[in-house]
Amino acid sequence: MAEEKFYKYVIVGGGVSAGYAAREFGRHGVKPGELAIISKEAVAPYERPALSKAYLFPEGTARLPGFHVCVGSGGERLLPEWYAEKGIDLLLSTEIVKADLASKSLVSAAGTTFKYEVLIIATGSTVIKLTDFGVQGADANNIFYLREIDDADKLVAAIKDKKDGKAVIVGGGYIGLELGAALKVNNLDVTMVYPEPWCMPRLFTAEIAAFYEGYYANKGIKIIKGTVAVGFDSDASGNVTAVKLKDGRVLDADIVVVGVGGRPLTTLFKGQVEEEKNGIKTDGYFKTSVPDVYAVGDVATFPLKLYNELRRVEHVDHARKSAEQAVKAIKASEEGGSIETYDYLPYFYSRSFNLSWQFYGDNVGDTVLFGDNNPESSKPKFGTYWIKNGRVVGAFLEAGTPEENKAIAKVARIQPPVEDLEKLTKDGLAFASAL
């Protein structure tokens, strides 16, 4: 007979959100056997951003257990033993293949049924693959995607195997920029290809992007814009040898890394829960339309209080904070209390080479660029403000100090009025620091 297990709380998904939710449960007090984390990955929750940064460095590399959650926010590192000490069941290498929210049950690939009282959906996102679109030759060896630690391990092995070889990055977003830098640091010959007119188009203005593209070019990275990969050639062993572009060019390649976006993993819950904007619709406590079911991180479409709209945010900062909010809400509900609704300030950041930028708020409206954004400068430092309806609603800063980054965060949060854009350009960081 198939095995059946019961838990008061189940978290499905073992990424960043799961780890931060577990810590919050631990803070509030969770009895042994009450909580299970069910993850298809083989390791305890870890800080995913490390995979596209320090994990791939040739020296000073990050390895587990060094970046298990919650070190990414300066907290305690939750090793597997921590979960055991708290009586939390960490069910690894366990994939849920069926969910029935009405009967409060989940079924694993091995046939085990998990019953629960309260469910937190923390399934995150999966990468979009070129094979999803039937791109010719996209199933060749040495074409990589980066989402989990297994992906990073395979890429590290290929970097060692193809020493001083040619790498092609398909995509000009987060993954493209961070991996382009990491592969270059490993002394590979790197070419980046993306269809947009500039890199990171969802966030960067043309002026911001021009700096990073210039900086990367100075590092020897070749950038090809306005075209896409339409096919791949491979050798007799099935290893990729070339990338064919829509504009007719063919690029030699020993390694290809694809970063063309992700999609939230909501398939298990389709038709059972209300959805919006490609995610599971929640309230300001991350409660879904189904009683006792919460959704956090990448899969949640939630009310963004600051802008009075529903939004889905794919970023580690939100993954952490939404998980904590959901657990606080669950515990408050049990105790007959209440908490404030989620009041999130959108935040994005990245690090590559010697560069480090942070962005807070919303990137809508007119823009003002300030500072030195010359990629040839020895110490470039610049930023951008976004102004909508006479107020600063977003702020970006490259090479900011911790105090300066706090100042631009404050600007985005309080949305101060601004009348003279020319003066704002001249004032630059002083505007933020004076608030």
Side-chain angles (χ1 to χ4, degrees):
M1 192 174 165
E3 190 181 7
E4 185 170 302
K5 294 183 177 181
F6 171 79
Y7 294 95
K8 187 173 184 181
Y9 313 105
V10 167
I11 301 169
V12 61
V16 172
S17 286
Y20 280 76
R23 181 177 69 172
E24 198 62 33
F25 271 116
R27 282 174 175 166
H28 284 269
V30 65
K31 296 190 182 90
E34 276 192 333
L35 170 62
I37 295 173
I38 306 176
S39 173
K40 70 181 182 66
E41 290 195 70
V43 294
Y46 56 87
E47 303 284 1
R48 215 174 282 282
L51 299 183
S52 59
K53 300 175 179 72
Y55 204 87
L56 302 177
F57 291 170
E59 293 169 14
T61 49
R63 288 292 177 270
L64 289 178
F67 59 96
H68 280 299
V69 298
C70 298
V71 295
S73 58
E76 176 192 358
R77 184 181 291 112
L78 307 186
L79 302 175
E81 303 87 82
W82 179 89
Y83 299 89
E85 285 163 12
K86 295 283 183 187
I88 298 169
D89 282 3
L90 201 51
L91 307 174
L92 304 176
S93 303
T94 304
E95 184 176 6
I96 297 299
V97 293
K98 187 183 174 194
D100 186 337
L101 301 182
S103 67
K104 294 192 169 186
S105 66
L106 307 166
V107 180
S108 74
T112 304
T113 297
F114 299 96
K115 299 285 236 178
Y116 59 83
E117 279 184 30
V118 178
L119 177 68
I120 298 179
I121 298 168
T123 42
S125 296
T126 185
V127 293
I128 293 170
K129 297 190 173 183
L130 297 182
T131 46
D132 298 344
F133 308 107
V135 175
Q136 177 266 322
D139 55 354
N141 299 330
N142 289 346
I143 297 179
F144 299 98
Y145 300 83
L146 189 63
R147 180 65 191 171
E148 299 177 355
I149 204 157
D150 283 353
D151 303 326
D153 284 336
K154 288 170 188 166
L155 184 51
V156 167
I159 289 168
K160 288 176 181 167
D161 186 45
K162 303 294 183 182
K163 198 169 166 57
D164 304 330
K166 291 181 185 294
V168 175
I169 309 281
V170 177
Y174 259 110
I175 290 292
L177 286 169
E178 292 189 351
L179 291 195
L183 295 182
K184 189 65 193 175
V185 169
N186 277 286
N187 209 35
L188 286 152
D189 180 343
V190 179
T191 302
M192 292 181 65
V193 178
Y194 43 92
E196 299 89 357
W198 61 77
C199 63
M200 284 283 286
R202 285 167 64 183
L203 175 60
F204 288 179
T205 64
E207 293 168 310
I208 293 172
F211 166 79
Y212 293 99
E213 289 175 350
Y215 192 97
Y216 274 48
N218 291 341
K219 290 286 186 183
I221 293 175
K222 295 177 280 297
I223 295 174
I224 298 173
K225 298 184 275 190
T227 191
V228 294
V230 292
F232 300 89
D233 291 335
S234 51
D235 62 19
S237 303
N239 297 317
V240 71
T241 57
V243 182
K244 295 185 277 194
L245 305 183
K246 193 173 185 179
D247 66 9
R249 280 183 271 190
V250 178
L251 309 175
D252 291 339
D254 300 299
I255 292 173
V256 174
V257 182
V258 181
V260 292
R263 58 168 67 94
L265 283 165
T266 58
T267 314
L268 279 171
F269 314 101
K270 287 277 179 203
Q272 301 184 67
V273 65
E274 197 174 335
E275 293 189 53
E276 190 143 341
K277 295 188 176 178
N278 295 323
I280 296 170
K281 188 179 179 184
T282 75
D283 64 10
Y285 308 104
F286 294 97
K287 286 196 271 189
T288 70
S289 59
V290 177
D292 301 320
V293 177
Y294 294 72
V296 297
D298 289 5
V299 297
T301 299
F302 63 96
L304 196 48
K305 211 174 190 176
L306 202 53
Y307 309 124
N308 194 29
E309 67 177 62
L310 286 172
R311 199 175 286 190
R312 199 174 63 77
V313 175
E314 292 183 10
H315 194 263
V316 66
D317 181 61
H318 165 65
R320 294 167 181 154
K321 289 173 178 169
S322 59
E324 291 169 345
Q325 174 77 354
V327 176
K328 284 173 184 166
I330 289 165
K331 285 299 187 179
S333 171
E334 287 175 356
E335 293 157 11
S338 63
I339 62 167
E340 292 290 314
T341 54
Y342 195 56
D343 189 9
Y344 186 64
L345 174 66
Y347 164 57
F348 300 93
Y349 72 91
S350 184
R351 294 187 298 274
S352 57
F353 293 119
N354 293 321
L355 306 173
S356 176
W357 60 259
Q358 294 195 10
F359 167 84
Y360 294 89
D362 216 6
N363 60 330
V364 292
D366 298 322
T367 58
V368 158
L369 180 80
F370 60 86
D372 175 12
N373 71 326
N374 183 349
E376 310 285 343
S377 295
S378 57
K379 284 190 176 176
K381 182 169 185 170
F382 69 97
T384 292
Y385 293 120
W386 280 259
I387 300 97
K388 183 183 177 185
N389 298 330
R391 291 183 173 273
V392 179
V393 295
F396 171 97
L397 184 61
E398 166 61 49
T401 64
E403 294 74 27
E404 288 164 345
N405 288 327
K406 274 184 190 164
I408 66 161
K410 186 178 179 184
V411 167
R413 168 66 75 182
I414 66 174
Q415 301 182 8
V418 61
E419 292 173 6
D420 189 339
L421 296 192
E422 203 170 306
K423 186 175 185 302
L424 185 61
T425 305
K426 285 176 186 161
D427 289 348
L429 262 177
F431 173 80
S433 302
L435 290 171

